[in-house]
Amino acid sequence: MNYTLNIRGQLLSLDQPVVMGILNATPDSFYADSRAQTEEAVAQRARQIIDEGAAIIDIGACSTRPGSAPATQQEEMERLRMALGAVRREWPGAVVSVDTFRPDVARMAVEEYGADIINDVGTYSTPQEGTEMRRVVSRLRVPYILMASEPTLRDTLLFFAERVQQLRDMGQKDIILDPGFGFGKTLEENYALLASMEKLLVMELPLLVGVSRKSMIYKLLGCRPFDALNGTTALHTIALMKGASILRVHDVKEAVECCRLVAATMSQQSETGAINRQ
């Protein structure tokens, strides 16, 4: 499928997979190198993300790491205003996603700073939960990332089917699906979902994969998040081969290279298949 996202009236093509670079305006996100708590640090991190080839900057201001105490809404908004202001001053044309689970934060980010995408990291167990966030985003007319925390492929498909229909009924156009690796799943469930992830393509919507340096890697390998880049690249390769359109990452350069290598391989595979069918 050749997907596109409407970004301020311009189409962002997902014909080839793209990279979303993580910028955390937090003091407590699990991977320290992604944190930026001053305008100077935000600008430096944003510059690195852009220079290394990411198509999207994903800014978060409330950590979702397991066991963390979430920032208050006021704290999240203050951090986001600082980070979004710094990015918009330096790179007004950058495609910016905001990582949040609060409808009022999403509204502020879009209306005050022109955030282009809302990355909803809320974990909702019923169709009614999260309705306000989906309603707000559909009114804002920006692309929406819908994340699932369900443990199995079947439950993930059911979750997506119900919420996508709700979003369509609200008039939402651009929807991206995130299987939610690391959210509400055991180590084994994460790998089982990754192994069958291509079945999510039945939804005919782009898939975002966020596995970068997560516990499903470092716990299996017996290392620390700091040492999990090689494992991250291995899982990125698998995710791309199974149809991922967006990789949400800490290490942009390595992920961009991974996308290029997999794209070259898949292109040759398609050409070989076409020749064999002649």
Side-chain angles (χ1 to χ4, degrees):
M1 297 291 292
N2 296 325
Y3 303 112
T4 58
L5 301 177
N6 188 335
I7 305 294
R8 285 172 274 159
Q10 301 293 318
L11 294 182
L12 173 63
S13 174
L14 302 180
D15 184 38
Q16 296 294 329
V18 302
V19 171
M20 171 188 282
I22 298 169
L23 193 165
N24 285 317
T26 58
D28 55 348
S29 294
F30 80 93
Y31 185 58
D33 285 359
S34 68
R35 301 175 196 160
Q37 295 178 255
T38 66
E39 289 190 9
E40 182 180 0
V42 166
Q44 182 177 354
R45 174 59 179 159
R47 183 181 300 111
Q48 179 187 23
I49 289 170
I50 291 170
D51 288 349
E52 292 185 358
I56 305 166
I57 302 173
D58 189 53
I59 303 178
C62 180
S63 177
T64 55
R65 68 179 175 85
S68 66
T72 67
Q73 179 166 295
Q74 181 177 352
E75 288 172 331
E76 185 180 8
M77 283 186 170
E78 288 174 355
R79 294 171 183 173
L80 272 176
R81 286 188 170 107
M82 179 274 294
L84 287 166
V87 171
R88 282 299 184 222
R89 280 192 299 273
E90 295 289 331
W91 295 277
V95 179
V96 174
S97 166
V98 168
D99 175 318
T100 187
F101 58 90
R102 293 178 168 126
D104 288 343
V105 173
R107 184 183 294 108
M108 178 276 294
V110 175
E111 293 180 348
E112 294 184 21
Y113 294 93
D116 301 295
I117 301 169
I118 294 300
N119 182 10
D120 185 359
V121 293
T123 53
Y124 310 115
S125 58
T126 70
Q128 290 71 37
E129 292 180 5
T131 295
E132 182 58 24
M133 173 66 98
R134 293 189 280 276
R135 183 177 292 115
V136 165
V137 175
S138 67
R139 289 172 179 168
L140 293 168
R141 303 299 187 201
V142 296
Y144 174 70
I145 300 170
L146 173 65
M147 188 189 76
S149 58
E150 274 54 39
T152 67
L153 174 69
R154 177 183 178 276
D155 291 342
T156 300
L157 279 167
L158 289 173
F159 175 93
F160 283 149
E162 290 175 344
R163 276 64 173 190
V164 167
Q165 184 59 56
Q166 183 188 50
L167 284 161
R168 295 298 193 206
D169 291 343
M170 292 176 176
Q172 179 64 24
K173 301 299 184 184
D174 289 336
I175 304 168
I176 302 153
L177 304 180
D178 177 358
F181 293 105
F183 289 84
K185 302 169 183 63
T186 66
L187 189 68
E188 293 76 15
E189 286 167 344
N190 277 303
Y191 282 99
L193 184 57
L194 180 61
S196 56
M197 194 185 77
E198 73 279 2
K199 295 178 181 177
L200 296 176
L201 296 173
V202 71
M203 298 295 300
E204 297 187 351
L205 292 169
L207 300 179
L208 178 147
V209 169
V211 295
S212 182
R213 296 183 182 268
K214 284 187 174 178
S215 62
M216 66 181 287
I217 298 169
Y218 63 78
K219 286 184 178 179
L220 184 68
L221 299 180
C223 62
R224 304 166 297 164
F226 182 79
D227 302 311
L229 176 56
N230 188 53
T232 295
T233 302
L235 294 197
H236 281 165
T237 303
I238 294 169
L240 290 167
M241 299 291 284
K242 289 182 171 289
S245 291
I246 304 172
L247 298 179
R248 181 180 180 273
V249 311
H250 299 94
D251 308 280
V252 172
K253 177 178 178 291
E254 291 80 359
V256 169
E257 291 176 347
C258 186
C259 287
R260 290 181 63 188
L261 292 167
V262 171
T265 303
M266 298 290 281
S267 174
Q268 291 300 317
Q269 186 179 47
S270 297
E271 288 182 14
T272 301
I275 291 170
N276 289 338
R277 287 192 297 270
Q278 290 178 359

